[in-house]
Amino acid sequence: MSAVLIGAGAVLVLAFAVVAAAVLLRGHLVALSVSGLSMAPVPRPGDRVLVRRTPGERLRNGDIVVVEEPGPCRPGDPTGAGGSRWMVKRVAAVPGDPEPACLPSWARHPTGVVPPRHIVLLGDNAEASRDSRHFGTVRTDRVLGVILLRLGGRPTAGAGSRRRVDQARP
């Protein structure tokens, strides 16, 4: 009888731990679906990605991030009235780095370095990407987080909610 009670107690503690972990991680992890080709070949449209919410000061060159699109960059929605849209891009430069040559002249800063609380973002598929070459540096407070992995067995990012990233609304 006491072994049964101890076993039931252990199951209850384990269940509580699982629920507590899920609640704690829920605010830090987001699962999204990718649409669009700006980062092809990886991630690709339809991939599900797991994103860790990450403060801007922790971003590093090479991170693949989910970021709120800066300004009305969508044809057919010149006012941005459609609401926030999310994009997947690679961090090309962080605050204090030299500005990459790809930045347009109007987006350059007098110091020649990326200013505090800003990053430079580029899509891996340059022909299909709207990125810092089009809209300049992006404030780090627009970053949702860093893609940790592709879910579902493919080699880099993906599962969870039905949100779409890159060319859709959150």
Side-chain angles (χ1 to χ4, degrees):
M1 175 78 165
S2 65
V4 171
L5 289 176
I6 291 172
V11 169
L12 185 59
V13 168
L14 179 60
F16 177 77
V18 167
V19 169
V23 168
L24 288 173
L25 291 177
R26 187 169 189 211
H28 297 288
L29 299 175
V30 180
L32 304 167
S33 292
V34 175
S35 68
L37 296 169
S38 72
M39 290 298 291
V42 179
R44 299 181 305 218
D47 283 349
R48 313 277 281 158
V49 295
L50 187 62
V51 178
R52 178 184 66 227
R53 293 181 189 266
T54 306
E57 62 272 7
R58 288 190 162 172
L59 298 174
R60 301 182 196 286
N61 289 332
D63 284 346
I64 299 175
V65 297
V66 175
V67 61
E68 186 178 9
E69 186 174 76
C73 294
R74 300 253 167 232
D77 186 19
T79 65
S84 295
R85 296 186 185 260
W86 298 94
M87 306 183 307
V88 176
K89 302 292 178 211
R90 187 175 303 275
V91 176
V94 296
D97 284 351
E99 291 178 327
C102 64
L103 275 181
S105 59
W106 56 263
R108 295 189 167 279
H109 296 88
T111 62
V113 300
V114 178
R117 295 178 302 284
H118 285 77
I119 53 177
V120 176
L121 300 171
L122 297 176
D124 288 356
N125 183 1
E127 285 88 43
S129 181
R130 290 195 54 80
D131 50 39
S132 288
R133 294 170 299 153
H134 303 95
F135 46 71
T137 61
V138 176
R139 290 190 335 259
T140 56
D141 63 356
R142 294 178 92 86
V143 175
L144 175 66
V146 174
I147 293 180
L148 295 177
L149 64 130
R150 180 167 52 215
L151 301 172
R154 287 205 236 153
T156 294
S161 79
R162 299 217 185 311
R163 289 177 162 179
R164 295 208 168 266
V165 175
D166 196 16
Q167 294 190 353
R169 296 175 197 205

